[in-house]
Amino acid sequence: MPLVTTQRTGLVEQVIAQMRTLVSSGEWPLGERIPTESELVTALGVGRNTVREAVRALAHAGLLEVRQGDGTFVRATNELSGAVRRLCGSELRRILEVRRALEVEAARLAAAARTDDDLAELDALLTARDAALEQRDPEQVVDRDTRFHLRLVAASHNVLLIGLYEGISEAVQSSVATTFDPASVTQVSHTALLDAVRSGDAREAAAEAGGFLDELLDSLGAQPEKPTSPGA
């Protein structure tokens, strides 16, 4: 989606809206540098102060990050994810705690609400995840594990819960990447979690969802916190 010249009313709001769309659509990819201030001024047909004000607003919302001398980078694709990153910073424990709260309830609900299509997709994702683990392919493990958790939450069929979880999906992916050990194939299995959801055992599903995150949280107490990558 190309930038277009704005109208003369509400210039800052129009620029913010265009830039937010470019970020959320992936036109400006997560972790990548956006066009320079001069390029934005030319493309948008507005003054430098307008561009600076828009960038400042989006940086405050957590979508952009201004790095002095290096440029402005995409930090999150939506305000909720940006808020989570701003509140949690690089604190892995905070991210895992939020994940636990949402995933435990999602697993409990999914045990009652999941459909055959949900189970088929979860089976496929878990098989792909485990295959990536065996191959010790970090990139594929992180991608498929994150997608498995997103799909499990979707199986809850609670629209608000799904929206909240999707809003922190970038932080979830970052936490998966941080806790994955490519030197070991002895990783947390999600087979029991999926089996509990399949059998409709809400209590067991919630216990399994919370159990593996509790293990990760406990492990943080014995070793220094590992910062998550701002571009993950």
Side-chain angles (χ1 to χ4, degrees):
M1 173 183 168
L3 293 166
V4 297
T5 302
T6 61
Q7 300 297 315
R8 289 297 166 185
T9 56
L11 289 180
V12 174
E13 289 77 9
Q14 292 179 57
V15 171
I16 290 173
Q18 285 200 63
M19 294 174 70
R20 181 186 288 114
T21 299
L22 290 167
V23 167
S24 63
S25 68
E27 185 79 13
W28 287 351
L30 189 66
E32 296 295 315
R33 185 169 54 190
I34 71 171
T36 66
E37 181 180 283
S38 296
E39 291 171 332
L40 291 172
V41 166
T42 299
L44 293 163
V46 296
R48 289 183 180 274
N49 286 340
T50 299
V51 169
R52 288 172 185 170
E53 194 171 338
V55 169
R56 190 180 303 116
L58 291 173
H60 180 72
L63 274 69
L64 299 179
E65 178 183 6
V66 180
R67 303 177 191 171
Q68 294 299 325
D70 199 18
T72 301
F73 294 76
V74 178
R75 182 169 173 80
T77 59
N78 59 70
E79 278 80 356
L80 179 55
S81 181
V84 169
R85 284 182 177 273
R86 188 170 62 252
L87 291 172
C88 294
S90 61
E91 297 182 42
L92 178 59
R93 175 176 294 279
R94 300 293 175 257
I95 296 172
L96 292 177
E97 288 171 348
V98 173
R99 280 188 61 188
R100 189 187 189 286
L102 297 179
E103 290 183 25
V104 167
E105 183 60 15
R108 187 185 71 80
L109 293 173
R114 86 285 183 276
T115 65
D116 289 342
D117 286 342
D118 291 330
L119 293 174
E121 291 187 34
L122 286 167
D123 274 325
L125 287 170
L126 188 56
T127 297
R129 172 207 187 250
D130 290 346
L133 278 173
E134 290 294 333
Q135 296 165 7
R136 303 191 184 188
D137 185 336
E139 184 176 341
Q140 290 299 317
V141 171
V142 171
D143 175 70
R144 292 166 183 177
D145 191 86
T146 302
R147 288 168 59 193
F148 173 82
H149 290 292
L150 282 165
R151 192 64 188 80
L152 181 62
V153 174
S156 72
H157 295 277
N158 181 303
V159 177
L160 181 56
L161 181 58
I162 294 168
L164 289 171
Y165 195 80
E166 288 178 345
I168 67 164
S169 61
E170 291 151 17
V172 171
Q173 184 171 19
S174 180
S175 68
V176 172
T178 303
T179 55
F180 172 64
D181 180 6
S184 172
V185 295
T186 308
Q187 303 288 330
V188 175
S189 171
H190 294 327
T191 301
L193 169 58
L194 182 52
D195 286 345
V197 171
R198 191 193 318 277
S199 66
D201 189 335
R203 178 175 297 180
E204 183 63 20
E208 287 292 337
F212 86 90
L213 287 167
D214 284 339
E215 289 180 19
L216 292 176
L217 285 165
D218 288 343
S219 72
L220 294 179
Q223 53 186 292
E225 182 128 327
K226 296 164 65 179
T228 54
S229 169

